[in-house]
């Protein structure tokens, strides 16, 4: 099992236990995505928001919201005075996102230096909803190459790419209604020169598994460090 | 408090930074110059790096609040050297309260007072002790081993060995297995019970 899938499965188990402990209806569908992932996706994030709102609702109704410990050894913790800080307005967005679970497609691309055409690794790629300007997701492309791949609901997006030493790239609107390869995103060098990320890797997080060079690594989050 | 530069924020880490689901927040800046530094960006200019105040970081990483509480996880401060930013970490603890576990990955190359303050707000420490031989330590890091080891003794006395994991690297061309064995023995003499021995793979 790939590293990202392993993370996803463990996080899924956490969500499942929270839902079960608190009588929150949550249908966790089997992920049909094939290939490397980074352990989370818009669908997984939407489930977390859904659970947060459901727990907040329990607290508002005077019920106990129990956030259970996992097999990592934690005891169940009863949360009474600690409502998750989630605004009610997010409920609507979460339901919308849940409804889009079955409509996710893959967006691929490659980030290159505009002058040398060399691939640029460790970029932050922001996927922004064209209509709402909401940042749907931010990924980091493959640790040692410039290619990236991300699952998003069908829709219209801006795709912005950032990297230290370069001006922001991308920025145009994309209509994504099927698996799409947006080709090369060229970054123009900025004031700060490109910093080559070097060093030693003693854990497998940034190593691309053979046969999965197309996909970004499962490190999650907005940015990456070399570990 | 003004915003400080970070070289990276990494979500959904499992089992590498302590208990539960953690987010690694890596500060810019380090007093050492290790030959095989894993995060060289922390040694270069902070220009262009994202900057956060404690409140901004708290808001940013709070997206995983549910996982933190459910699994006993939280935020791991690394870098660079996180204990150079003890003011920030103290302020962050005040924001997150006791619900999140805070971990720090540190070389202990900081004033003893920073270690004392960290021990009051950080739950668990991962110590990069590098080496016990002072010559090897200086050759590899450019720093003074005695300061790190003195701080380790202080830390153990304040938080106890159950909250301290010490990493012992086998570094090609710098130390040997015999050196790491000696370091492990010395750590055992200090009362360290949690060791993480690993080998650098130079590319």
């Amino acid at each position: 099992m790939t590293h990202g899938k392993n993370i996803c499965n463990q996080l899924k188990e956490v969500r499942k236990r929270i839902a079960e402990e608190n009588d929150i209806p949550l249908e966790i569908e089997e992920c049909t995505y094939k290939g490397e992932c980074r352990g989370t996706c818009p669908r997984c994030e939407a489930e977390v928001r859904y659970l947060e709102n459901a727990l907040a609702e329990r607290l508002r109704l005077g019920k106990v919201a129990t956030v259970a410990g996992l097999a990592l050894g934690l005891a169940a913790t009863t949360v009474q005075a600690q409502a998750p800080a989630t605004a009610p307005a997010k409920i609507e967005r979460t339901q919308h996102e849940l409804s889009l679970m079955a409509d996710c497609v893959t967006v691929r691309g490659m980030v290159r230096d505009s002058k040398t055409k060399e691939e640029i690794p460790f970029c932050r790629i922001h996927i922004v909803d064209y209509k709402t300007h909401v940042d749907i997701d931010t990924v980091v492309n493959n640790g040692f190459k410039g290619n990236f791949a991300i699952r998003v609901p069908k829709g219209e997006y801006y795709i912005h790419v950032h990297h230290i030493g370069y001006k922001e790239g991308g920025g145009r609107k994309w209509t994504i209604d099927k698996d799409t390869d947006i080709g090369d995103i060229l970054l123009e060098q900025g004031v700060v020169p490109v910093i080559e990320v070097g060093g030693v890797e003693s854990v497998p997080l940034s190593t691309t598994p053979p046969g999965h060079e197309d996909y970004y690594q499962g490190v999650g989050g907005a940015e990456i460090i070399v570990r | 408090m003004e915003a400080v530069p970070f070289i990276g924020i990494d979500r959904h880490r499992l089992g590498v930074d302590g208990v539960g689901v953690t987010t690694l927040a890596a500060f810019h800046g380090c007093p050492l110059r290790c030959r095989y530094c894993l995060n060289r960006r922390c040694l270069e200019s902070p220009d262009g790096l994202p900057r956060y105040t404690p409140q901004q970081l708290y808001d940013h990483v709070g997206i995983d609040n549910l996982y933190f509480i459910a699994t006993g996880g939280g935020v791991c401060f690394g870098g660079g050297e996180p204990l150079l930013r003890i003011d920030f970490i103290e302020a962050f603890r005040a924001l997150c309260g006791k619900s999140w576990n805070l971990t720090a990955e540190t070389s202990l190359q900081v004033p003893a007072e920073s270690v004392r303050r960290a021990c009051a707000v950080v739950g668990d420490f991962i110590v990069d002790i590098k080496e016990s031989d002072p010559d090897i330590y200086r050759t590899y890091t450019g720093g003074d081993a005695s300061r790190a080891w003195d701080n380790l003794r202080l830390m153990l006395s304040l938080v106890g060995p159950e909250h301290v994991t010490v990493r012992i690297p086998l570094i090609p061309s710098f130390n040997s297995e015999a050196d790491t064995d000696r370091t492990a023995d010395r750590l055992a003499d200090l009362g360290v019970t949690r060791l993480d021995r690993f080998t650098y793979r130079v590319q």
Side-chain angles (χ1 to χ4, degrees):
Chain A
M1 181 181 292
T2 64
H3 180 67
K5 283 287 187 185
N6 184 44
I7 293 176
C8 177
N9 285 339
Q10 293 196 52
L11 296 180
K12 193 183 301 181
E13 182 61 28
V14 177
R15 298 195 298 273
K16 183 181 165 192
R17 291 196 187 192
I18 292 173
E20 287 172 353
E21 287 284 339
N22 294 279
D23 296 322
I24 298 171
L26 177 66
E27 278 189 41
I28 298 183
E29 297 176 15
E30 188 64 32
C31 178
T32 57
Y33 179 68
K34 303 295 179 191
E36 187 61 73
C37 81
R38 60 189 178 88
T40 190
C41 69
R43 169 181 165 178
C44 295
E45 299 288 345
E47 286 183 3
V48 178
R49 303 290 87 80
Y50 166 71
L51 286 173
E52 286 175 340
N53 287 314
L55 289 167
E57 187 62 25
R58 285 184 66 86
L59 292 173
R60 276 194 288 273
L61 293 173
K63 298 179 182 177
V64 168
T66 301
V67 183
L70 291 184
L72 295 170
L74 292 179
T77 303
T78 301
V79 179
Q80 194 129 25
Q82 213 168 22
T86 306
K90 287 194 178 184
I91 294 175
E92 206 170 288
R93 179 175 175 231
T94 300
Q95 290 170 346
H96 173 68
E97 285 170 346
L98 288 172
S99 73
L100 295 176
M101 280 186 204
D103 280 338
C104 284
V105 293
T106 301
V107 179
R108 301 166 184 259
M110 176 70 77
V111 184
R112 295 184 186 274
D113 184 296
S114 62
K115 263 190 189 173
T116 65
K117 300 298 184 282
E118 285 180 0
E119 297 177 23
I120 305 174
F122 299 114
C123 296
R124 283 181 294 133
I125 299 124
H126 298 267
I127 316 292
V128 180
D129 187 286
Y130 174 75
K131 288 179 186 152
T132 65
H133 301 282
V134 171
D135 201 323
I136 297 297
D137 205 354
T138 301
V139 300
V140 177
N141 62 346
N142 187 288
F144 293 100
K145 294 186 179 180
N147 55 298
F148 64 89
I150 181 173
R151 294 280 290 175
V152 295
K154 292 176 184 175
E156 294 176 321
Y157 301 95
Y158 287 114
I159 298 177
H160 302 278
V161 181
H162 297 262
H163 191 281
I164 295 169
Y166 289 90
K167 299 175 185 175
E168 179 183 309
R172 56 158 283 194
K173 174 186 154 191
W174 291 92
T175 300
I176 308 294
D177 55 6
K178 57 183 178 184
D179 291 348
T180 302
D181 187 336
I182 65 174
D184 290 348
I185 294 179
L186 300 178
L187 298 190
E188 191 183 329
Q189 288 189 10
V191 175
V192 178
V194 174
I195 295 164
E196 182 181 333
V197 180
V200 174
E201 184 54 54
S202 63
V203 293
L205 287 179
S206 68
T207 303
T208 305
H212 292 274
E213 289 80 3
D214 248 8
Y215 296 89
Y216 55 82
Q217 272 299 298
V219 291
E223 295 168 30
I224 187 171
I225 61 171
V226 178
R227 291 282 308 154
Chain B
M1 182 180 294
E2 65 175 24
V4 302
F6 285 78
I7 60 172
I9 297 176
D10 188 17
R11 297 171 64 198
H12 299 151
R13 297 166 66 84
L14 297 171
V16 276
D17 302 321
V19 176
V21 175
T22 60
T23 290
L24 175 67
F27 289 101
H28 175 272
C30 183
L32 297 178
R33 295 294 181 266
C34 300
R35 175 64 179 84
Y36 296 138
C37 177
L38 295 178
N39 301 316
R40 290 184 185 281
R41 190 63 184 90
C42 74
L43 303 176
E44 292 152 353
S45 167
D47 292 345
L49 291 176
R51 289 174 181 258
Y52 297 91
T53 63
Q55 181 69 56
Q56 288 168 338
L57 182 67
Y58 176 71
D59 292 338
H60 184 82
V61 301
I63 190 173
D64 292 319
N65 175 59
L66 204 61
Y67 290 132
F68 294 162
I69 294 178
T71 66
V75 177
C76 177
F77 290 107
E81 173 51 63
L83 298 197
L84 292 175
R85 299 288 186 181
I86 187 59
D87 291 343
F88 187 105
I89 296 174
E90 286 175 335
F92 191 88
R93 172 57 91 187
L95 288 169
C96 72
K98 295 180 182 176
S99 58
W100 295 356
N101 187 40
L102 298 186
T103 308
E105 294 187 12
T106 172
S107 65
L108 294 182
Q109 281 291 345
V110 293
E113 183 55 28
S114 297
V115 175
R116 285 185 191 280
R117 290 168 64 185
C119 288
V121 295
V122 173
D124 294 286
F125 293 90
I126 300 170
V127 176
D128 237 330
I129 203 65
K130 315 289 184 189
E131 246 293 329
S132 56
D133 182 289
D135 292 330
I136 296 176
Y137 190 102
R138 181 170 292 282
T139 300
Y140 180 66
T141 72
D144 176 15
S146 60
R147 186 188 216 187
W149 284 82
D150 288 343
N151 278 334
L152 178 60
R153 268 187 285 273
L154 173 63
M155 178 178 283
L156 290 167
S157 72
L158 291 173
V159 302
E162 64 272 21
H163 293 290
V164 180
T165 299
V166 182
R167 288 190 171 149
I168 309 174
L170 174 60
I171 312 168
S173 304
F174 285 89
N175 65 359
S176 64
E177 280 211 37
D179 292 325
T180 59
D181 287 341
R182 184 190 59 247
T183 300
D185 289 342
R186 191 172 164 194
L187 289 168
D189 290 342
L190 286 183
V192 173
T193 57
R194 300 170 62 164
L195 294 178
D196 178 14
R197 299 182 70 159
F198 62 101
T199 302
Y200 276 19
R201 191 173 70 243
V202 180
Q203 295 180 343

